[in-house]
């Protein structure tokens, strides 16, 4: 099917992006688990301690350490923590504890009206792609595509510092180095950066939470998928119309996406070249975005320039600073301790 022939519903996101304020020392940050269960509570504790060392008032959702099969608690419990964090005016960032799977089960339960009234910085990636994509589609909300709290303590120091500077609004530009995909146009394009994990994006296709990447630079990253599966996922996005009108594509370095040893297979790069090359837009691959420890954080929905001749992805936006500090209300929960958002 030629590009542009899909019946693609108009996006409901506003034309002007909504960029939440940066955090500052003393701000409350809520740690919640709307996806899979926390696997290493010690690492989560260390991540929370790291956030507290930055001067942040860290509180946990009451169900953040729960487990129910492959989920971090029931849908009601996970929704309660997430909506409670959204509704709390003292919470200036919602930092996801871990990925896995589960956020798509509760997207239709999120209090989007409350988030629109008081935009809050959301930090996460992988399964949280669905939350970032839905928030942009509904509200134009810009979020942070970056490491989870439960992995912060074991990431390389430069990556953690870059993430901290981004959420504190200290970086004016972030420049990431990759390589132009052979056979794609060697041009430069600019637009909002949208996307994330390929598997999640494909799962959103055909739903009310799908991405609309027209005029945008599409971000793609993947982990643990064989090349033939990557082919299937990219084909799903293409056939659903999700790739219609994209300005360019920024592809993170794949992790554990090697060809199987027991059957004929092309490589991850072969599949990307085949599926994205036909779009006729610049594509930069091997960017430090995704499931590698050295991942660099970027603003999902923020303005970027993709420069294929130099293999660079440059982010131009940062969360704006607030003039006055918002103090937590009386009765606020203790730093680094579980705290019920619905007392």
């Amino acid at each position: 099917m030629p590009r542009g022939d899909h019946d693609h519903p108009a996006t409901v996101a506003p034309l002007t992006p909504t960029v939440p304020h940066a955090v500052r020392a003393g701000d409350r940050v809520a740690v919640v688990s709307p996806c899979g269960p926390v696997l290493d509570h010690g690492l989560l504790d260390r991540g929370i301690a790291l956030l507290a060392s930055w001067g942040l008032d860290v509180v946990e959702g009451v169900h953040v350490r729960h487990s129910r099969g492959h989920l971090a608690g029931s849908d009601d419990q996970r929704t309660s923590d997430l909506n409670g964090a959204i509704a709390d005016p003292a919470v200036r960032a919602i930092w996801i504890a871990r990925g896995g799977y589960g956020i798509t089960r509760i997207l239709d339960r999120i209090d989007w009206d409350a988030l629109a009234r008081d935009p809050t910085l959301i930090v996460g990636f992988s399964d949280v792609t669905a939350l970032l994509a839905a928030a942009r589609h509904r509200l134009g909300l810009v979020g942070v595509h970056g490491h989870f709290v439960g992995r912060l303590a074991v990431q390389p120091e430069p990556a953690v510092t870059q993430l901290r500077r981004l959420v504190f609004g200290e970086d004016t530009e972030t420049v990431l180095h990759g390589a132009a995909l052979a056979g794609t146009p060697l041009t430069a394009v600019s637009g909002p950066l949208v996307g994330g994990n390929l598997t999640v994006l494909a799962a959103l296709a055909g739903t009310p939470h799908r991405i609309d990447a027209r005029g945008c630079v599409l971000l793609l990253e993947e982990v643990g998928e064989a090349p033939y599966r990557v082919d299937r996922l990219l084909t799903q996005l293409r056939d659903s119309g999700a790739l219609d009108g994209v300005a360019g594509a920024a592809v993170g370095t794949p992790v554990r996406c090697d060809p199987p040893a027991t059957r004929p297979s092309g490589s991850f790069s072969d599949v990307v070249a085949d599926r994205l090359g036909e779009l006729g837009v610049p594509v930069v691959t091997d960017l430090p975005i995704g499931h590698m420890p050295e991942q660099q954080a970027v603003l999902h929905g923020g303005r970027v320039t993709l420069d294929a001749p130099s293999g660079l992805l440059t982010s131009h936006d940062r969360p704006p600073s607030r003039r006055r500090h918002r103090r937590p209300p009386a009765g606020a929960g203790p730093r680094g301790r579980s705290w019920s958002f619905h007392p």
Side-chain angles (χ1 to χ4, degrees):
M1 184 182 293
R3 288 169 59 218
D5 285 356
H6 303 90
D7 292 328
H8 198 108
T11 178
V12 298
L15 295 177
T16 303
T18 299
V19 186
H21 286 111
V23 301
R24 54 188 294 177
D27 279 350
R28 175 173 294 168
V29 173
V31 177
V32 298
S33 296
C35 311
V38 172
L39 301 179
D40 190 321
H41 294 271
L43 282 181
L44 179 61
D45 291 337
R46 291 169 60 189
I48 289 173
L50 179 62
L51 295 180
S53 75
W54 297 348
L56 299 173
D57 176 30
V58 187
V59 293
E60 296 181 30
V62 69
H63 305 107
V64 77
R65 298 174 189 261
H66 283 209
S67 177
R68 182 174 181 177
H70 57 278
L71 300 170
S74 69
D75 288 351
D76 286 343
Q77 290 171 333
R78 290 177 293 115
T79 303
S80 174
D81 280 2
L82 182 56
N83 280 341
I86 290 171
D88 187 339
V91 170
R92 304 321 312 149
I94 299 171
W95 212 309
I96 309 302
R98 178 184 176 258
Y101 164 75
I103 191 67
T104 54
R105 292 172 56 108
I106 63 172
L107 287 177
D108 59 350
R109 299 175 174 219
I110 292 174
D111 190 344
W112 297 109
D113 290 338
L115 189 58
R117 289 191 298 269
D118 187 14
T120 305
L121 205 60
I122 298 171
V123 187
F125 78 115
S126 193
D127 192 55
V128 182
T129 291
L131 178 57
L132 296 175
R136 179 182 184 273
H137 185 75
R138 289 173 175 266
L139 309 175
L141 190 69
V142 173
V144 176
H145 184 278
H147 275 300
F148 301 113
V149 179
R151 299 298 297 174
L152 282 178
V154 293
Q155 305 311 317
E157 190 277 333
V160 174
T161 297
Q162 186 266 339
L163 175 56
R164 183 194 65 79
R165 290 181 58 84
L166 180 62
V167 298
F168 275 77
E170 297 173 0
D171 276 343
T172 55
E173 274 192 344
T174 300
V175 181
L176 306 183
H177 296 261
L181 180 65
T184 56
L186 293 177
T187 56
V189 296
S190 296
L193 183 71
V194 302
N197 181 259
L198 174 58
T199 294
V200 176
L201 293 174
L204 293 177
T207 75
H209 316 293
R210 70 200 176 279
I211 63 163
D212 185 344
R214 289 174 291 184
C216 300
V217 175
L218 179 66
L219 172 64
L220 296 173
E221 63 87 17
E222 193 51 270
V223 58
E225 296 291 352
Y228 79 91
R229 293 177 178 172
V230 173
D231 188 321
R232 180 172 60 205
L233 295 167
L234 288 172
T235 299
Q236 169 70 10
L237 285 182
R238 173 187 178 276
D239 291 349
S240 71
L243 302 184
D244 290 353
V246 297
V251 183
T253 301
V255 176
R256 302 195 307 276
C257 293
D258 301 321
T262 58
R263 69 182 72 175
S265 175
S267 66
F268 178 91
S269 297
D270 292 336
V271 171
V272 169
D274 177 62
R275 296 282 72 189
L276 297 186
E278 65 182 26
L279 299 178
V281 300
V283 180
V284 173
T285 62
D286 295 321
L287 291 161
I289 302 175
H291 285 73
M292 73 287 294
E294 63 274 17
Q295 169 175 227
Q296 299 293 289
V298 291
L299 286 182
H300 181 274
R303 295 175 303 118
V304 299
T305 295
L306 186 74
D307 188 340
S310 61
L312 298 180
L313 177 69
T314 303
S315 299
H316 303 297
D317 287 335
R318 63 173 175 173
S321 300
R322 299 191 314 279
R323 289 188 176 183
R324 291 196 299 174
H325 178 62
R326 300 175 63 168
R327 296 184 180 277
R335 176 175 308 201
R337 300 286 300 277
S338 294
W339 177 73
S340 174
F341 295 115
H342 295 286

